[in-house]
Amino acid sequence: MRRIMAFSATLVLFSTIAASAAADTSPVGCAWDKLPATEQSRLRNEFKVDVRDGGFTILFANADAAAAAEAAQQCQFNASPAQMENLALGLARHAAVEKAKQGIVDKGEDPGALTKAMAKVHEGKREAIGNRLACPGPHDMVGEWDASIRNSIGKAKLGFKNGRAYSWVSLGLYAMMAEEGAARRMAGKAEAC
């Protein structure tokens, strides 16, 4: 009987993790659509990856809370200053998703591969990685994260003809998780940075 109760508790825990990992990013999407094209372009262009021996660092664009506030107002969001800060961080991460999608298209592949690969990411890692990458500042990659991302891409069986598109899928997955992390923080479902 204890095993059944422990198993049930484990199922509840995992279903709670799964439900929270895939955050509602629609506020970020609405605000993105309301940003001026120049701000969208700035956010995309500031997304960089610093590659070095044995790893890399992701540098998301500098968040602009004022631009986020204007966009939020157009979307009729009433947000606290902390929520607005996280919306601005989410917009910077969304810009990275957009840049990754364009990178995939530029390699002649389908950007829908991001959604397909994201469905294969372990829910607990998806949430943990996303919450960490949603915080301001540069982010050094962790070997365990890279292994998880490679595994997820492998499980998705994307079958790209152009192998260079896979790096854009990896970056896109990190950016999508970071955007979800910002959305969770906006909703009060993640600890502060």
Side-chain angles (χ1 to χ4, degrees):
M1 185 68 165
R2 286 185 191 172
R3 283 186 187 170
I4 292 172
M5 290 176 64
F7 180 72
S8 295
T10 302
L11 284 178
V12 169
L13 174 67
F14 282 124
S15 64
T16 302
I17 288 171
S20 63
D24 176 15
T25 59
S26 60
V28 177
C30 180
W32 176 260
D33 290 341
K34 303 299 182 193
L35 284 177
T38 54
E39 179 63 5
Q40 288 179 350
S41 180
R42 179 191 71 81
L43 290 171
R44 276 191 303 271
N45 291 337
E46 284 186 10
F47 172 61
K48 306 272 188 240
V49 178
D50 181 19
V51 179
R52 60 191 187 300
D53 290 340
F56 60 96
T57 301
I58 290 181
L59 303 146
F60 292 104
N62 292 317
D64 183 343
E70 287 180 30
Q73 196 172 43
Q74 292 179 49
C75 291
Q76 300 178 354
F77 297 151
N78 294 322
S80 71
Q83 288 174 313
M84 198 56 59
E85 180 182 326
N86 285 304
L87 175 61
L89 291 167
L91 289 168
R93 275 88 186 132
H94 185 82
V97 173
E98 293 297 316
K99 191 168 183 176
K101 286 180 180 178
Q102 187 59 53
I104 294 167
V105 168
D106 290 347
K107 302 299 180 215
E109 301 293 350
D110 179 10
L114 281 176
T115 305
K116 189 175 179 182
M118 182 63 100
K120 302 297 182 182
V121 176
H122 180 275
E123 294 294 338
K125 287 185 182 178
R126 178 175 174 169
E127 183 173 357
I129 294 168
N131 288 351
R132 182 127 159 241
L133 292 179
C135 291
H139 298 281
D140 293 331
M141 287 304 99
V142 177
E144 178 186 340
W145 295 1
D146 272 347
S148 181
I149 293 296
R150 280 192 307 272
N151 188 33
S152 300
I153 292 171
K155 286 180 182 177
K157 298 181 180 169
L158 302 177
F160 286 164
K161 292 179 177 107
N162 187 337
R164 294 182 300 164
Y166 286 104
S167 60
W168 284 110
V169 174
S170 295
L171 292 173
L173 290 177
Y174 282 125
M176 289 173 77
M177 287 186 267
E179 183 180 353
E180 288 178 348
R184 271 191 296 279
R185 213 164 264 123
M186 282 174 59
K189 295 180 179 177
E191 293 179 14
C193 294

